[in-house]
Amino acid sequence: MHIGTKGDYGVRALIDLAMYGGEGPVQRTEIARRQHIPDSYLDHLLAQLRRDGFVRSTRGPGGGHQLTRPADEICLLHVLESLEGSLAPLPCLEDDESGEPHSVCAQQWVWREIYDDMRARLAAVSLADLAAREQERLRSAVASYSI
Amino acid sequence: MHIGTKGDYGVRALIDLAMYGGEGPVQRTEIARRQHIPDSYLDHLLAQLRRDGFVRSTRGPGGGHQLTRPADEICLLHVLESLEGSLAPLPCLEDDESGEPHSVCAQQWVWREIYDDMRARLAAVSLADLAAREQERLRSAVASYSI
DNA sequence: ATGATCCTGACTAACTTAGTCGTGAATTCG
DNA sequence: CGAATTCACGACTAAGTTAGTCAGGATCAT
């Protein structure tokens, strides 16, 4: 695995929707501005997230993007796998549906546990959790300004 | 992180040395043949492992490569970090000596635990452990042939 | 209709990966 | 010594990935 800007930006976009999406659709340009993401790139990330059913979009004036489910029902694991593809650190751990058994490699047994544990931890974190942390981070940043 | 052929081949080369290096130096071409690694590529990997003090090489006829320490004193973590560079899944977790504090990202707190856990597990596995597993794998492969 | 907004695919530059190849340097043996 | 053997090192390359940009089309509220 390796979380690049896709995973970083994409997750932040969803956190943004979790935080500001209460009052109807949020526009892409607004997310891009708030999260410092290139607008044209965010476009692609939202398209991917829509394909995988995390967001719903409406066009036309007043349109924008919304989460399809409550933020506490969306887990980080699924979001990252949507944005980045498989998170497997070794090709031989990839879970492909083709049924082809991947070749065994010398370190497989070590990484199997690490990978399973990683996925379990990521599955235990929801967008709501991330949004709460972000909220707290913003609060403390403002506090430190006002000192 | 992402373990590519560097990490796979390099570790297998060291396992090979752990298994067959008891009787003096092992030649690169011999490792390459046994482990199915392109000879000229293995060259680079051994160079890296030598730079980081995992193997010692001697030239000339009868020369080859040897582990610098007993196989149970070399852990997988250090070997992989030598071959692949930092295993951090996010740039913000990279431990650089420059002292520059990397930017914080939204998911950092989740990955911090995962990364620490991963490193601990990799540090707990030695080349001797890997060699023992490989020995067992070979044994059972031979056994299944003779049925 | 029109203007806001999302949607899609083509394109690109920089970087990484997985090597190959050629030459040089050290060591041993006859 | 000199030839054979083995490692040592750097230049080069092809393919794939990443991180975008850009142009044009589709959809919808008003």
Side-chain angles (χ1 to χ4, degrees):
Chain A
M1 113 236 14
H2 208 239
I3 309 301
T5 59
K6 279 201 193 91
D8 183 16
Y9 293 167
V11 168
R12 270 160 48 200
L14 291 183
I15 293 175
D16 196 274
L17 289 183
M19 292 173 69
Y20 304 103
E23 326 284 318
V26 181
Q27 290 159 28
R28 192 186 57 201
T29 54
E30 201 178 337
I31 303 175
R33 182 182 45 73
R34 244 189 322 245
Q35 303 295 329
H36 309 103
I37 301 171
D39 184 79
S40 54
Y41 192 36
L42 179 55
D43 205 358
H44 290 310
L45 305 179
L46 286 171
Q48 179 63 40
L49 291 169
R50 183 164 22 77
R51 268 193 294 278
D52 286 340
F54 296 103
V55 302
R56 171 186 349 121
S57 311
T58 52
R59 304 197 227 199
H65 304 269
Q66 285 174 288
L67 296 180
T68 53
R69 285 172 289 157
D72 61 357
E73 292 178 19
I74 300 176
C75 77
L76 184 53
L77 175 66
H78 297 329
V79 171
L80 284 176
E81 286 184 338
S82 166
L83 291 162
E84 298 271 0
S86 168
L87 302 180
L90 290 91
C92 62
L93 293 179
E94 223 117 303
D95 22 71
D96 53 359
E97 304 86 36
S98 70
E100 272 185 41
H102 274 282
S103 66
V104 235
C105 80
Q107 315 164 40
Q108 201 185 27
W109 58 280
V110 187
W111 285 97
R112 176 90 262 166
E113 290 179 48
I114 295 174
Y115 184 44
D116 288 345
D117 194 79
M118 181 191 93
R119 287 171 50 92
R121 283 181 196 262
L122 292 175
V125 176
S126 75
L127 273 189
D129 298 328
L130 290 167
R133 286 268 182 162
E134 183 64 9
Q135 199 74 262
E136 176 59 24
R137 202 177 65 77
L138 290 179
R139 197 198 57 72
S140 70
V142 168
S144 72
Y145 263 120
S146 65
I147 289 177
Chain B
M1 113 238 6
H2 209 239
I3 309 300
T5 61
K6 279 200 193 92
D8 183 17
Y9 292 168
V11 168
R12 269 162 46 199
L14 290 183
I15 293 175
D16 197 273
L17 289 182
M19 291 173 69
Y20 304 103
E23 328 282 317
V26 181
Q27 290 158 30
R28 193 184 57 202
T29 54
E30 203 177 336
I31 303 175
R33 182 181 45 73
R34 243 187 324 243
Q35 303 295 330
H36 309 104
I37 301 172
D39 184 79
S40 54
Y41 191 37
L42 180 56
D43 201 1
H44 291 312
L45 306 179
L46 286 171
Q48 180 62 40
L49 291 170
R50 183 163 22 77
R51 268 193 295 278
D52 285 340
F54 295 104
V55 302
R56 170 186 349 120
S57 311
T58 52
R59 302 197 230 202
H65 304 268
Q66 285 174 286
L67 297 179
T68 54
R69 284 173 290 158
D72 60 358
E73 293 178 19
I74 300 176
C75 76
L76 184 55
L77 175 66
H78 297 329
V79 171
L80 284 176
E81 285 183 338
S82 165
L83 291 161
E84 298 272 1
S86 168
L87 301 181
L90 290 90
C92 63
L93 293 179
E94 222 118 304
D95 21 73
D96 53 358
E97 304 85 38
S98 71
E100 271 186 42
H102 273 282
S103 66
V104 235
C105 79
Q107 316 165 38
Q108 201 185 29
W109 58 281
V110 187
W111 284 97
R112 177 89 261 167
E113 290 178 48
I114 294 174
Y115 185 42
D116 288 346
D117 193 80
M118 180 191 94
R119 287 173 51 93
R121 283 181 195 261
L122 291 175
V125 176
S126 75
L127 273 189
D129 298 328
L130 290 167
R133 286 268 182 161
E134 182 64 9
Q135 200 73 261
E136 177 58 24
R137 202 176 65 76
L138 289 179
R139 197 199 57 72
S140 70
V142 168
S144 72
Y145 262 120
S146 64
I147 289 176

